[in-house]
Amino acid sequence: MEIRKNETQLVCIAKFIAKEGEVDQLIKNLHSLIPITMQEGGCIRYELNQCIDEPNRITFIEKWYDQVTFDAHCNKPYIVEFFNDGKPHHVKEFEVTLHKELLP
Amino acid sequence: MEIRKNETQLVCIAKFIAKEGEVDQLIKNLHSLIPITMQEGGCIRYELNQCIDEPNRITFIEKWYDQVTFDAHCNKPYIVEFFNDGKPHHVKEFEVTLHKELLP
Amino acid sequence: MEIRKNETQLVCIAKFIAKEGEVDQLIKNLHSLIPITMQEGGCIRYELNQCIDEPNRITFIEKWYDQVTFDAHCNKPYIVEFFNDGKPHHVKEFEVTLHKELLP
Amino acid sequence: MEIRKNETQLVCIAKFIAKEGEVDQLIKNLHSLIPITMQEGGCIRYELNQCIDEPNRITFIEKWYDQVTFDAHCNKPYIVEFFNDGKPHHVKEFEVTLHKELLP
């Protein structure tokens, strides 16, 4: 069977490791981005998760309509502000990866 | 609290009541639309359901990026063919409703 | 190809037609159920929608882990209270249907 | 605002880095697990993704009803077989992390 790919949409996995003692504030900052981001038309999924074995590891699982709407998201003032201000205070490691879904 | 609406995306509920004896063929026809539709970039959700108490009632629950991608879907040859050919044979009642999601 | 069904999970479509002039209050009541319901372990999806052409038509699209967790939801005090109190005030028509998903 | 957690459900991110030249076979193996896994009652989400910048990186994004249904999944013959047979042939790095969702 041929593996079909969703060529338009983007899946984003954004992993943050909080600095010692900063995870609650990091969660609060990231969580506050959810309602405003979900109003962006291109936002298909925007779910915040905390790792069970490693509670300082916080991961957004995101799905976006396309590269354009994802880029627009990254340039929203609330996202820019988090990366300029919240992230340097609370985050010691950060990884973002972009993916294409291989459909069922 | 203000109720925020997703102004871009469309939620579509498409209900089909199969003619007597036609539900298996209707399901087969509708099910065959899933893999090809999920490759459309605007398709966020395309899930087929069978009513438990009324097994002739088959419902697609759909979410689309916007009106343009939904309209493009409706004009795909496989959808047009279903409505021209499969639907008259197998369906006795049909209702489609479009919705805006009221976000959490 | 065989059509496979999710035999465990339940899809619920709950349609409410608001009485004239009551839709805003109905939406407010239903919307307030979202955060508390999403904390129920069996809740897989709980999305509120407003029909575009018929704004008095409000629909919950729900997915539950199984019949037991759905029944538990229906017996939660906040749901019982809505059906005893909010629904008679604001709703003139109500239909709930339960479905099994036919998997991709 | 209090951050509410889904205490029942599990989010699993399973990352595989394919050995050189093995990614197509790895994708084929993992993709074949989708339809059978989606029939497990506890499976809420089971989506396969390929990293854009690093195509040898393949990630399942999963959501499960609870620890019990996740453990049951891990013990299914098709999963055990993949980890005993497919994984050693095709995978050079593997990481699985379990998460709790922090609800909107």
Side-chain angles (χ1 to χ4, degrees):
Chain A
M1 192 181 62
E2 192 205 355
I3 313 287
R4 295 157 294 102
K5 199 180 276 197
N6 187 316
E7 297 289 358
T8 308
Q9 297 175 4
L10 277 188
V11 170
C12 174
I13 302 176
K15 180 179 80 171
F16 305 85
I17 311 289
K19 293 181 184 173
E20 213 47 47
E22 295 290 327
V23 70
D24 288 345
Q25 194 57 48
L26 174 63
I27 288 173
K28 202 174 150 182
N29 282 22
L30 294 177
H31 191 268
S32 73
L33 301 172
I34 299 177
I36 190 161
T37 297
M38 286 183 75
Q39 290 177 79
E40 296 183 45
C43 179
I44 297 173
R45 181 182 295 159
Y46 198 66
E47 294 178 355
L48 191 61
N49 301 279
Q50 182 170 29
C51 186
I52 297 172
D53 288 339
E54 203 187 331
N56 285 336
R57 178 176 181 157
I58 306 297
T59 302
F60 262 127
I61 295 178
E62 309 180 12
K63 197 181 275 190
W64 290 89
Y65 174 61
D66 63 4
Q67 186 74 49
V68 171
T69 52
F70 177 71
D71 291 345
H73 169 66
C74 296
N75 289 309
K76 292 285 180 190
Y78 39 92
I79 299 298
V80 171
E81 187 191 335
F82 170 76
F83 278 92
N84 284 344
D85 185 16
K87 181 172 166 286
H89 279 81
H90 309 307
V91 175
K92 71 173 181 196
E93 271 183 59
F94 172 62
E95 183 195 54
V96 62
T97 48
L98 295 176
H99 308 256
K100 291 289 184 190
E101 187 178 351
L102 305 168
L103 295 168
Chain B
M1 192 181 62
E2 192 204 354
I3 313 287
R4 295 158 293 104
K5 199 179 276 197
N6 188 316
E7 296 289 358
T8 308
Q9 296 176 4
L10 276 189
V11 170
C12 173
I13 303 176
K15 180 179 81 170
F16 304 85
I17 311 289
K19 292 181 184 174
E20 213 47 47
E22 294 291 325
V23 70
D24 288 345
Q25 194 55 49
L26 174 63
I27 288 174
K28 202 173 151 185
N29 281 22
L30 294 177
H31 191 266
S32 73
L33 301 173
I34 298 177
I36 191 161
T37 297
M38 286 183 74
Q39 289 177 80
E40 296 182 47
C43 178
I44 297 173
R45 180 182 294 157
Y46 198 67
E47 294 177 355
L48 191 61
N49 300 279
Q50 183 169 29
C51 186
I52 296 172
D53 288 338
E54 203 187 331
N56 285 336
R57 178 177 181 155
I58 306 297
T59 303
F60 262 127
I61 295 177
E62 310 180 12
K63 198 181 274 190
W64 291 89
Y65 174 61
D66 63 3
Q67 185 74 49
V68 171
T69 52
F70 176 72
D71 291 345
H73 169 66
C74 297
N75 289 309
K76 291 286 180 191
Y78 39 92
I79 299 299
V80 171
E81 187 192 334
F82 170 76
F83 278 92
N84 284 344
D85 185 17
K87 181 171 165 286
H89 279 80
H90 309 307
V91 175
K92 71 172 180 194
E93 271 184 59
F94 171 63
E95 182 194 55
V96 63
T97 48
L98 295 176
H99 308 257
K100 291 290 184 190
E101 187 177 351
L102 304 168
L103 295 167
Chain C
M1 193 182 62
E2 192 204 354
I3 313 287
R4 296 158 292 103
K5 199 178 275 197
N6 188 317
E7 296 289 358
T8 307
Q9 296 175 3
L10 277 188
V11 171
C12 173
I13 303 176
K15 180 180 80 171
F16 305 85
I17 311 289
K19 293 180 184 174
E20 213 45 47
E22 295 289 325
V23 69
D24 288 346
Q25 194 56 47
L26 173 64
I27 288 174
K28 202 173 152 184
N29 281 22
L30 294 177
H31 191 266
S32 73
L33 301 173
I34 298 177
I36 191 161
T37 297
M38 287 182 75
Q39 288 178 80
E40 297 184 45
C43 178
I44 297 173
R45 181 182 294 158
Y46 198 67
E47 294 178 355
L48 192 61
N49 300 280
Q50 182 170 30
C51 186
I52 297 172
D53 288 339
E54 203 187 330
N56 285 337
R57 177 176 182 156
I58 306 298
T59 302
F60 262 126
I61 295 178
E62 310 180 12
K63 197 182 275 191
W64 291 88
Y65 174 60
D66 63 4
Q67 185 75 49
V68 171
T69 52
F70 177 71
D71 291 345
H73 169 66
C74 295
N75 288 308
K76 291 286 181 192
Y78 40 91
I79 299 299
V80 171
E81 188 192 334
F82 170 76
F83 278 92
N84 284 343
D85 185 16
K87 182 172 165 286
H89 278 80
H90 309 307
V91 175
K92 71 173 181 193
E93 269 184 61
F94 172 63
E95 182 194 53
V96 62
T97 48
L98 296 176
H99 308 256
K100 291 290 183 190
E101 187 178 350
L102 305 167
L103 296 168
Chain D
M1 191 182 62
E2 193 204 353
I3 313 287
R4 295 158 292 103
K5 198 179 277 197
N6 187 316
E7 296 289 359
T8 308
Q9 296 176 3
L10 277 188
V11 170
C12 173
I13 303 177
K15 179 180 81 171
F16 305 85
I17 310 289
K19 293 181 184 173
E20 213 46 48
E22 295 289 326
V23 70
D24 289 345
Q25 194 57 48
L26 174 64
I27 288 173
K28 202 173 150 183
N29 282 22
L30 295 177
H31 191 267
S32 73
L33 301 173
I34 298 176
I36 191 161
T37 297
M38 286 183 75
Q39 289 177 79
E40 297 184 46
C43 179
I44 297 173
R45 181 182 294 159
Y46 197 66
E47 294 179 354
L48 191 61
N49 300 279
Q50 182 170 30
C51 185
I52 296 172
D53 287 339
E54 203 187 331
N56 286 336
R57 178 177 181 156
I58 306 297
T59 302
F60 262 126
I61 295 177
E62 309 180 12
K63 198 181 274 192
W64 290 88
Y65 174 60
D66 63 4
Q67 186 74 50
V68 171
T69 52
F70 177 71
D71 292 345
H73 169 67
C74 296
N75 289 309
K76 291 285 181 192
Y78 40 91
I79 299 299
V80 171
E81 187 192 335
F82 170 76
F83 278 92
N84 284 344
D85 185 16
K87 181 171 165 288
H89 279 81
H90 309 306
V91 175
K92 71 173 180 194
E93 270 184 59
F94 172 63
E95 183 195 54
V96 62
T97 48
L98 295 176
H99 308 256
K100 292 289 184 191
E101 186 177 352
L102 305 167
L103 296 167

